[in-house]
Amino acid sequence: MRERGRAWVYTLLLMPLLFIGGFVVSEAYAVLTYSSPSLLRDSLRDLTRRETLEPTDAFRSALAEVEAHYYGKPPAIDKLTYTSIDGMLGALEDPYTRFMDPDAFRRMQEDTTGSFTGIGALLEDAPGGARIVRPLPNSPAQKAGLQPGDIIVAVDGKSLERVALDEAVRLIRGPRFTEVKLTIRRGENEPFTVTLKRDLVESPTVDVYLEDDENKIYRIWLQNFSEKAPTLLDRALRQIKQEGGRAIILDLRANPGGLLDSSIEVASRFIPGDKVVVSVVGRQGLLDQKSTLRGRYANLDVPIVVLINGGSASASEIVAGALRDHKVAPLIGEDSFGKGLVQTVIPIPPNTAVAITTAKYLTPNGTDLNAKVVDGKRVGGLKPDIEVKNPEDWRMTEEDKARDKQLQKALEVLRDKLHATKEGNGILRAQGEAEVNR
Amino acid sequence: MRTKWLRGGISVLALALVFASGWLTRNLVANRLMQSGGAVVVQRDFAPALADARTPASNLDVSEPSMVTLYDRVFRLVRDEYVEPVSADKLTHGSLEAMLAALDDPRSQFLRPEQREQFARALNGEIQGIGAVLTVVKRKTTLRVGDETAPLEQNLLQVVAVAPNSPAEKAGLKSGDFIDAIDGQWVISEDPFAEIAQLQRMHSPREQIRQASERARKRLENSIAISEAIRRLSQTPTDAKDAKPLKLTVKRAGQTLEVEVARATTRVRPLEYRMLQGRWGYLRPNLLNAAASREFANALRTLKQGGAKGLVIDLRGVAVGQQEPALQMLSLIATKRQVAQVEYRVGNRYKTRPLNLPKPPQPANLPVAVLVDRGAYNVAEMVALAIRQTANARIFGMPTFGDASQTNLYQLKDGSGFTLTVGRYMGLDGAKFHQKGVQPDVRVAAEPRMRGQLGGDPVLERAVSWLQSQEKRS
């Protein structure tokens, strides 16, 4: 009797255990075979998915449908995902917020570490290959004696006969200090071969031109905001002072920008006193404000104008906007490009990254530097104080200077100023010094 | 001893039952959760008809979950870090649009809520805009530059069929027309810069490249994307000032025509029918939807009671259709339960499965003449072929459009959705008609002056004379 009772107790004890057992085995079966929804997996998924996860849900479902049921052979899942992410970011209509797939991310890392270099020559398309427009000073191309007009017909023995220019450039570029063999055709002569060592090529950053000898008006063409730009600018300003320059045209046309620090340095040369150069505004409001740097003012007591056009972007716009807002110089030319955005590159392990526009630049007066796309057209950027358009096929070269209406306008404005303030120079200087000493 | 065994047996049975009830309880809870939605986003909306209906998509898993994680990371980063607040819906739409576009299949498309709504209305016979069914066809052609050629891919906007009494019909648009421009704006059908790429490969003179790029830019400036063109053609303007007719540049058989077409809502009657010469039942479904299927059953009964000796089913210009109602109609004609096959993909291989009627057929047992033309599209083509292969039937007219895609429509929570090609229809015998079209038994090219009227419709006349021959034989 007692034994039977014990058996019942065991059975009763076993019952809930077996119930749970059935539950667990069924769950395990569901997880392993995907035969029915899994409580465990789904509730875990829900737990990690408290916030609005609609996009990821929709994406996962659609991707799963495509993978399982689409009639055609779908692209590889990773490629399809990258495309979807591109589409997601594309909806922001901000060209700078972008996804970098493994290839793009690797390329970006190579680019910024500068491990890929060239031979230092400007090239253009030509029959049978790529023509050298001009070799840059101190470049491997110049050292090897290449001349303007030479045509590169083969790279490392590979003919450029059927190769487009950008592909030719890719063939010529490579890791620093590696060798590249170029086959050159010069005039009617038999082609010859030269071997060059690839190296970092420094493109010139600052050029100075005396545009009006009589009035001593100088033009400083600042081509980018590299690390060296401030030092080169100082050299240029010294030269202008020594030669008795009486007015300066700061030419920021076709300057795509560069380092933010360089732009603050450059602005500090022109703006007296402790002034805001640019504000950085993020989602939550003001993030940062960059001001002129102490002791960098160049003590300029001459009238200045700034030239801008559609090629003036980013750091150029910061400098131009600050000079205008602090009434240092008027802007002449065309609407600037309108790239006043700060990107943050966030790597996503193992091998991709996303560049997100996290903040925007505002000029001291609060002008949003970024252009927006309205009805397919870019609207925004800096508006010049005096709008002057150059012919569409105008080139920024010495030869085409005669057609540079923007430069002519700048000279006109400065000449007027020089004649109007002949006696005022002393006052200007006094003010400038007072501000610096404050 | 025996009772002990019995008791033991009962305990084991009871325990087994308990185990089973545990198992079932979990499944019940799981299924309940699944039905209540949870994270379910995608649902099949129409034309599922996959013989072996599968688990809904929310339980389907992606083969590489790391990709979903990646997507999620990027989404969260953008949501939290982007310089301005972002709309999650906008991001979702953008990504699904790109994903489906990457499949490079005109029948797999993302539908924004308003497009999805329009789609549903069209299936109900309410067609907006010019009143034509449009599709994008791909064509491989060659680009001629100087004396060299390069391959060029084109995406052309084509009229599949025009709805009866629609503005498109009144304007004289025809099935097969290519729409090249709208209000003078070029509908982008190819990469306008392809010529430049070729010129660069050929190392052409700079000036020539510059001119070509100038041309391409001019062309692009005055152009609209195909998707935008479709949107414009399939919208009925609500504003009176937008209501002026569109000027279309149309290519038809090598000729270029200018056509002016209005935009208005066209309501398509699901079915028209009548008795011809007191003996032939003429049925013309204008679309293949649920309403048409119901009316088809009623009309067939009336015609049979009226003494019909044969049937004419006119599928010319039938371009809007759904699989389920079409199968309902077929069940009144076909003599077999299996009416067609569907080819589908499993991993990297293709398999076929039968396409069966939802219930056993109740055929009318009358000879059937099916009338088709270029405007018979997709489900209508499948139906024509199925009738031919499962009943005493002949097909009259011209080859059909040739789109055998079996398409599913999915709906997302916010009212948007997407279509996805999930299979390809084939005849009962495995005959393929994709791109080739269903071939008529009796080819009649002449166009009707009065469609559905003896004396004004040569195809119909040929069909009726065949029906007469069938009557004599029996």
Side-chain angles (χ1 to χ4, degrees), chain A residues 3-4 8 11 14-16 18-27 29-30 34-39 41-42 45-46 48-49 51-75 77-78 80-89 91-94 97 99 124-131 160-166 281-284 341 346-349 352 354 356-360 372 392-393 395, chain B residues 4 7 10-11 14-16 18-27 29-31 33-34 38-42 44 50 54-64 67-68 70-86 88-96 98-100 102-105 108 148 197 199-204 206 209-210 214 217 343-350 408 410 412-414 418 420-424 432:
Chain A
E3 244 175 55
R4 194 190 293 167
W8 274 115
T11 313
L14 262 172
M15 275 187 160
L18 271 172
F19 184 87
I20 293 165
F23 202 97
V24 169
V25 172
S26 163
E27 172 69 22
Y29 182 75
Y34 289 79
S35 61
S36 87
S38 155
L39 287 178
R41 199 176 50 217
D42 285 1
R45 210 185 258 161
D46 284 343
T48 53
R49 228 200 272 140
E51 294 130 302
T52 59
L53 246 175
E54 198 74 16
T56 306
D57 261 355
F59 168 74
R60 194 197 58 236
S61 316
L63 187 63
E65 274 299 324
V66 167
E67 199 181 8
H69 292 143
Y70 176 58
Y71 170 80
K73 293 206 171 82
I77 292 304
D78 51 353
L80 210 47
T81 305
Y82 303 153
T83 305
S84 307
I85 294 175
D86 285 344
M88 165 165 66
L89 302 184
L92 296 171
E93 292 183 28
D94 165 26
T97 295
F99 177 70
E124 67 177 12
D125 225 322
R131 184 190 292 122
L160 298 185
E161 183 72 41
R162 287 257 158 273
V163 174
L165 187 61
D166 52 345
V281 178
R283 180 87 153 260
Q284 325 295 348
L341 296 172
I346 305 165
I348 301 175
T352 58
V354 59
I356 298 178
T357 298
T358 48
K360 56 187 172 187
K372 294 207 162 49
E392 237 171 66
D393 57 343
R395 291 284 119 89
Chain B
K4 200 173 179 185
R7 279 208 190 99
I10 288 170
S11 324
L15 290 174
V18 168
F19 182 85
S21 63
W23 179 294
L24 284 174
T25 309
R26 193 214 69 93
N27 277 3
V29 175
N31 287 328
L33 270 182
M34 188 185 89
V40 180
V41 175
V42 178
R44 286 230 172 72
L50 304 172
R54 285 166 189 240
T55 41
S58 61
N59 299 324
L60 268 177
D61 257 314
V62 176
S63 64
E64 284 182 54
M67 287 296 125
V68 179
L70 173 66
Y71 181 95
D72 196 40
R73 279 291 310 271
V74 174
F75 166 68
R76 283 157 187 269
L77 284 168
V78 170
R79 185 193 57 193
D80 301 339
E81 305 290 339
Y82 188 65
V83 65
E84 277 156 27
V86 297
D89 278 355
K90 213 167 130 182
L91 297 183
T92 314
H93 293 176
S95 68
L96 294 193
M99 184 201 295
L100 288 152
L103 301 179
D104 204 18
D105 167 26
S108 299
E148 295 204 25
L199 285 170
Q200 281 173 343
R201 268 191 297 274
M202 289 161 60
H203 299 286
S204 306
R206 257 174 97 118
I209 295 176
R210 205 189 58 75
E214 192 72 13
R217 201 167 302 137
E343 187 182 45
Y344 65 105
R345 178 180 62 87
V346 184
N348 284 324
R349 288 176 310 122
Y350 284 92
N408 276 0
Y410 300 85
L412 274 72
K413 277 176 177 169
D414 67 340
F418 62 92
L420 187 70
T421 303
V422 295
R424 212 163 253 181
K432 295 187 177 184

Side-chain angles (χ1 to χ4, degrees), chain A residues 349-368:
Chain A
N351 54 8
T352 58
V354 59
I356 298 178
T357 298
T358 48
K360 56 187 172 187
Y361 292 128
L362 301 186
T363 70
N365 286 356
T367 309
D368 190 341

Side-chain angles (χ1 to χ4, degrees), chain A residues 202-229:
Chain A
E202 271 197 15
S203 43
T205 296
V206 180
D207 280 328
V208 179
Y209 304 86
L210 176 58
E211 298 290 0
D212 181 338
D213 197 12
E214 186 191 334
N215 291 298
K216 291 271 179 255
I217 302 176
Y218 283 80
R219 177 167 69 103
I220 303 175
W221 183 20
L222 194 61
Q223 287 145 28
N224 60 44
F225 285 87
S226 69
E227 220 175 323
K228 279 199 169 168

Side-chain angles (χ1 to χ4, degrees), chain A residues 239-262:
Chain A
Q239 179 198 336
I240 292 169
K241 271 188 185 166
Q242 281 165 4
E243 293 177 12
R246 293 175 57 213
I248 293 172
I249 300 166
L250 178 61
D251 194 347
L252 295 175
R253 292 176 299 177
N255 181 331
L259 303 172
L260 178 64
D261 287 347
S262 287

Side-chain angles (χ1 to χ4, degrees), chain B residues 240-286:
Chain B
K241 70 172 163 42
D242 296 331
K244 64 175 179 23
L246 299 175
K247 286 194 187 71
L248 307 185
T249 309
V250 167
K251 292 223 164 93
R252 180 187 302 164
Q255 284 185 307
T256 304
L257 313 164
E258 297 288 329
V259 178
E260 211 166 84
V261 56
R263 286 176 295 172
T265 304
T266 307
R267 268 172 239 284
V268 179
R269 285 172 60 185
L271 183 94
E272 295 164 47
Y273 75 101
R274 77 176 78 87
M275 194 73 99
L276 298 171
Q277 297 176 334
R279 281 192 300 171
W280 319 117
Y282 173 82
L283 294 136
R284 175 182 168 186
N286 287 315

Side-chain angles (χ1 to χ4, degrees), chain A residues 367-385:
Chain A
T367 309
D368 190 341
L369 281 174
N370 198 48
K372 294 207 162 49
V373 178
V374 179
D375 293 333
K377 285 202 180 98
R378 289 176 59 88
V379 180
L382 282 175
K383 293 250 167 293
D385 300 295

Side-chain angles (χ1 to χ4, degrees), chain A residues 165-230:
Chain A
L165 187 61
D166 52 345
E167 177 61 23
V169 169
R170 249 194 303 279
L171 290 171
I172 294 169
R173 282 159 62 98
R176 195 176 181 187
F177 301 136
T178 56
E179 288 188 341
V180 58
K181 204 168 73 190
L182 303 180
T183 310
I184 305 288
R185 197 173 67 217
R186 183 174 293 166
E188 299 301 309
N189 304 332
E190 198 59 21
F192 59 95
T193 299
V194 287
T195 301
L196 284 73
K197 197 171 264 182
R198 295 180 179 107
D199 202 350
L200 291 175
V201 183
E202 271 197 15
S203 43
T205 296
V206 180
D207 280 328
V208 179
Y209 304 86
L210 176 58
E211 298 290 0
D212 181 338
D213 197 12
E214 186 191 334
N215 291 298
K216 291 271 179 255
I217 302 176
Y218 283 80
R219 177 167 69 103
I220 303 175
W221 183 20
L222 194 61
Q223 287 145 28
N224 60 44
F225 285 87
S226 69
E227 220 175 323
K228 279 199 169 168

